[in-house]
Short mmCIF file of all heavy atoms in Angstrom, two decimals:
data_model
loop_
_atom_site.label_atom_id
_atom_site.label_comp_id
_atom_site.label_asym_id
_atom_site.label_seq_id
_atom_site.Cartn_x
_atom_site.Cartn_y
_atom_site.Cartn_z
N ARG A 307 13.74 -15.88 -25.17
CA ARG A 307 14.04 -17.21 -24.67
C ARG A 307 13.13 -17.52 -23.48
O ARG A 307 13.13 -16.79 -22.49
CB ARG A 307 15.50 -17.31 -24.25
CG ARG A 307 15.91 -18.72 -23.79
CD ARG A 307 17.37 -18.81 -23.46
NE ARG A 307 17.72 -18.15 -22.21
CZ ARG A 307 18.52 -17.11 -22.10
NH1 ARG A 307 19.07 -16.58 -23.19
NH2 ARG A 307 18.79 -16.58 -20.92
N VAL A 317 9.89 -17.86 -17.13
CA VAL A 317 10.90 -16.81 -17.19
C VAL A 317 11.22 -16.56 -18.66
O VAL A 317 11.55 -17.50 -19.41
CB VAL A 317 12.19 -17.20 -16.43
CG1 VAL A 317 13.25 -16.12 -16.63
CG2 VAL A 317 11.90 -17.39 -14.95
N TYR A 318 11.10 -15.31 -19.09
CA TYR A 318 11.43 -14.91 -20.47
C TYR A 318 12.67 -14.01 -20.42
O TYR A 318 12.76 -13.10 -19.58
CB TYR A 318 10.29 -14.14 -21.11
CG TYR A 318 9.02 -14.92 -21.32
CD1 TYR A 318 8.03 -14.96 -20.34
CD2 TYR A 318 8.78 -15.60 -22.52
CE1 TYR A 318 6.85 -15.66 -20.54
CE2 TYR A 318 7.61 -16.30 -22.73
CZ TYR A 318 6.64 -16.34 -21.73
OH TYR A 318 5.48 -17.03 -21.93
N HIS A 319 13.58 -14.22 -21.35
CA HIS A 319 14.79 -13.39 -21.44
C HIS A 319 14.82 -12.72 -22.81
O HIS A 319 14.81 -13.39 -23.85
CB HIS A 319 16.05 -14.24 -21.25
CG HIS A 319 17.32 -13.47 -21.39
ND1 HIS A 319 17.98 -12.93 -20.31
CD2 HIS A 319 18.06 -13.13 -22.49
CE1 HIS A 319 19.07 -12.30 -20.73
NE2 HIS A 319 19.13 -12.40 -22.05
N TRP A 320 14.89 -11.37 -22.79
CA TRP A 320 15.02 -10.59 -24.03
C TRP A 320 16.43 -10.01 -24.04
O TRP A 320 16.73 -9.08 -23.29
CB TRP A 320 13.97 -9.49 -24.04
CG TRP A 320 13.80 -8.81 -25.37
CD1 TRP A 320 14.45 -9.08 -26.53
CD2 TRP A 320 12.92 -7.73 -25.67
NE1 TRP A 320 14.04 -8.25 -27.54
CE2 TRP A 320 13.09 -7.42 -27.03
CE3 TRP A 320 11.99 -7.01 -24.92
CZ2 TRP A 320 12.37 -6.40 -27.66
CZ3 TRP A 320 11.27 -6.00 -25.54
CH2 TRP A 320 11.45 -5.70 -26.89
N GLN A 321 17.28 -10.56 -24.87
CA GLN A 321 18.69 -10.20 -24.87
C GLN A 321 18.91 -8.78 -25.40
O GLN A 321 18.41 -8.41 -26.45
CB GLN A 321 19.49 -11.19 -25.72
CG GLN A 321 20.98 -10.91 -25.77
CD GLN A 321 21.64 -10.96 -24.41
OE1 GLN A 321 21.34 -11.84 -23.60
NE2 GLN A 321 22.53 -10.02 -24.14
N PRO A 329 20.31 -6.26 -16.30
CA PRO A 329 18.96 -6.38 -16.87
C PRO A 329 17.89 -5.73 -16.00
O PRO A 329 18.05 -5.56 -14.78
CB PRO A 329 18.75 -7.89 -16.96
CG PRO A 329 20.11 -8.50 -16.86
CD PRO A 329 20.92 -7.57 -16.01
N SER A 412 19.21 -5.83 -21.42
CA SER A 412 18.40 -7.05 -21.42
C SER A 412 17.21 -6.90 -20.49
O SER A 412 17.27 -6.17 -19.48
CB SER A 412 19.24 -8.24 -20.98
OG SER A 412 20.25 -8.53 -21.92
N ILE A 413 16.13 -7.57 -20.83
CA ILE A 413 14.89 -7.51 -20.06
C ILE A 413 14.50 -8.93 -19.69
O ILE A 413 14.51 -9.84 -20.55
CB ILE A 413 13.77 -6.84 -20.87
CG1 ILE A 413 14.16 -5.40 -21.20
CG2 ILE A 413 12.45 -6.88 -20.10
CD1 ILE A 413 13.37 -4.82 -22.35
N VAL A 414 14.15 -9.14 -18.43
CA VAL A 414 13.72 -10.45 -17.95
C VAL A 414 12.31 -10.32 -17.39
O VAL A 414 12.02 -9.41 -16.61
CB VAL A 414 14.68 -11.01 -16.88
CG1 VAL A 414 14.16 -12.33 -16.34
CG2 VAL A 414 16.08 -11.18 -17.47
N LEU A 415 11.44 -11.21 -17.83
CA LEU A 415 10.07 -11.30 -17.31
C LEU A 415 9.95 -12.59 -16.51
O LEU A 415 10.38 -13.65 -16.99
CB LEU A 415 9.07 -11.30 -18.45
CG LEU A 415 9.22 -10.23 -19.53
CD1 LEU A 415 8.22 -10.48 -20.66
CD2 LEU A 415 9.03 -8.84 -18.95
N ASP A 434 15.69 -19.28 -7.30
CA ASP A 434 16.85 -20.17 -7.44
C ASP A 434 17.37 -20.17 -8.87
O ASP A 434 18.59 -20.17 -9.10
CB ASP A 434 16.48 -21.58 -7.00
CG ASP A 434 16.14 -21.66 -5.51
OD1 ASP A 434 16.51 -20.73 -4.77
OD2 ASP A 434 15.49 -22.64 -5.10
N TYR A 435 16.46 -20.17 -9.83
CA TYR A 435 16.88 -20.16 -11.23
C TYR A 435 17.60 -18.86 -11.59
O TYR A 435 18.65 -18.88 -12.25
CB TYR A 435 15.66 -20.35 -12.15
CG TYR A 435 15.97 -20.12 -13.60
CD1 TYR A 435 16.59 -21.09 -14.37
CD2 TYR A 435 15.64 -18.89 -14.21
CE1 TYR A 435 16.90 -20.86 -15.71
CE2 TYR A 435 15.94 -18.66 -15.54
CZ TYR A 435 16.58 -19.64 -16.29
OH TYR A 435 16.88 -19.41 -17.60
N LEU A 436 17.06 -17.73 -11.16
CA LEU A 436 17.67 -16.45 -11.50
C LEU A 436 19.01 -16.28 -10.81
O LEU A 436 19.96 -15.72 -11.39
CB LEU A 436 16.73 -15.30 -11.13
CG LEU A 436 15.42 -15.22 -11.93
CD1 LEU A 436 14.56 -14.07 -11.44
CD2 LEU A 436 15.70 -15.08 -13.42
N LEU A 437 19.12 -16.74 -9.57
CA LEU A 437 20.41 -16.64 -8.87
C LEU A 437 21.46 -17.50 -9.56
O LEU A 437 22.62 -17.10 -9.71
CB LEU A 437 20.25 -17.07 -7.41
CG LEU A 437 19.53 -16.09 -6.49
CD1 LEU A 437 19.29 -16.71 -5.12
CD2 LEU A 437 20.35 -14.79 -6.35
N LYS A 438 21.05 -18.68 -10.00
CA LYS A 438 21.99 -19.58 -10.67
C LYS A 438 22.38 -19.04 -12.04
O LYS A 438 23.55 -19.14 -12.47
CB LYS A 438 21.36 -20.96 -10.81
CG LYS A 438 22.26 -21.98 -11.50
CD LYS A 438 21.58 -23.34 -11.60
CE LYS A 438 22.47 -24.37 -12.30
NZ LYS A 438 21.79 -25.70 -12.41
N THR A 439 21.42 -18.44 -12.74
CA THR A 439 21.66 -17.99 -14.11
C THR A 439 22.34 -16.62 -14.17
O THR A 439 23.23 -16.39 -15.00
CB THR A 439 20.33 -17.93 -14.89
OG1 THR A 439 19.69 -19.21 -14.82
CG2 THR A 439 20.56 -17.56 -16.34
N TYR A 440 21.93 -15.70 -13.28
CA TYR A 440 22.41 -14.33 -13.35
C TYR A 440 23.30 -13.94 -12.16
O TYR A 440 24.15 -13.06 -12.29
CB TYR A 440 21.24 -13.36 -13.43
CG TYR A 440 20.36 -13.55 -14.64
CD1 TYR A 440 19.27 -14.42 -14.60
CD2 TYR A 440 20.62 -12.88 -15.83
CE1 TYR A 440 18.46 -14.61 -15.72
CE2 TYR A 440 19.81 -13.05 -16.96
CZ TYR A 440 18.74 -13.93 -16.89
OH TYR A 440 17.94 -14.12 -17.99
N GLY A 441 23.07 -14.55 -11.00
CA GLY A 441 23.86 -14.23 -9.81
C GLY A 441 23.17 -13.25 -8.89
O GLY A 441 22.10 -12.72 -9.18
N GLU A 442 23.78 -13.03 -7.72
CA GLU A 442 23.22 -12.09 -6.73
C GLU A 442 23.39 -10.65 -7.21
O GLU A 442 24.36 -10.31 -7.88
CB GLU A 442 23.90 -12.27 -5.37
CG GLU A 442 23.54 -13.56 -4.65
CD GLU A 442 23.97 -13.57 -3.20
OE1 GLU A 442 24.18 -12.47 -2.64
OE2 GLU A 442 24.10 -14.66 -2.62
N ASP A 443 22.42 -9.83 -6.84
CA ASP A 443 22.43 -8.40 -7.19
C ASP A 443 22.69 -8.19 -8.68
O ASP A 443 23.41 -7.28 -9.08
CB ASP A 443 23.48 -7.66 -6.34
CG ASP A 443 23.29 -6.16 -6.39
OD1 ASP A 443 22.14 -5.71 -6.54
OD2 ASP A 443 24.30 -5.43 -6.27
N ALA A 444 22.07 -9.04 -9.48
CA ALA A 444 22.35 -9.02 -10.92
C ALA A 444 21.43 -8.08 -11.70
O ALA A 444 21.70 -7.80 -12.87
CB ALA A 444 22.23 -10.44 -11.48
N PHE A 445 20.35 -7.60 -11.07
CA PHE A 445 19.36 -6.82 -11.79
C PHE A 445 19.40 -5.36 -11.36
O PHE A 445 19.59 -5.03 -10.19
CB PHE A 445 17.97 -7.41 -11.58
CG PHE A 445 17.82 -8.79 -12.18
CD1 PHE A 445 18.06 -9.92 -11.41
CD2 PHE A 445 17.51 -8.95 -13.52
CE1 PHE A 445 17.95 -11.19 -11.95
CE2 PHE A 445 17.40 -10.22 -14.08
CZ PHE A 445 17.62 -11.34 -13.30
N LEU A 712 18.24 -10.70 -5.40
CA LEU A 712 18.38 -10.39 -6.82
C LEU A 712 18.76 -8.94 -7.06
O LEU A 712 19.45 -8.61 -8.02
CB LEU A 712 17.09 -10.73 -7.57
CG LEU A 712 16.66 -12.20 -7.54
CD1 LEU A 712 15.31 -12.38 -8.22
CD2 LEU A 712 17.72 -13.08 -8.21
#
Side-chain angles (χ1 to χ4, degrees):
R307 183 176 73 243
V317 175
Y318 295 90
H319 178 95
W320 193 1
Q321 181 61 41
S412 294
I413 298 161
V414 176
L415 311 174
D434 295 342
Y435 170 80
L436 294 178
L437 286 173
K438 181 179 179 181
T439 305
Y440 299 89
E442 289 193 21
D443 195 30
F445 295 93
L712 298 176

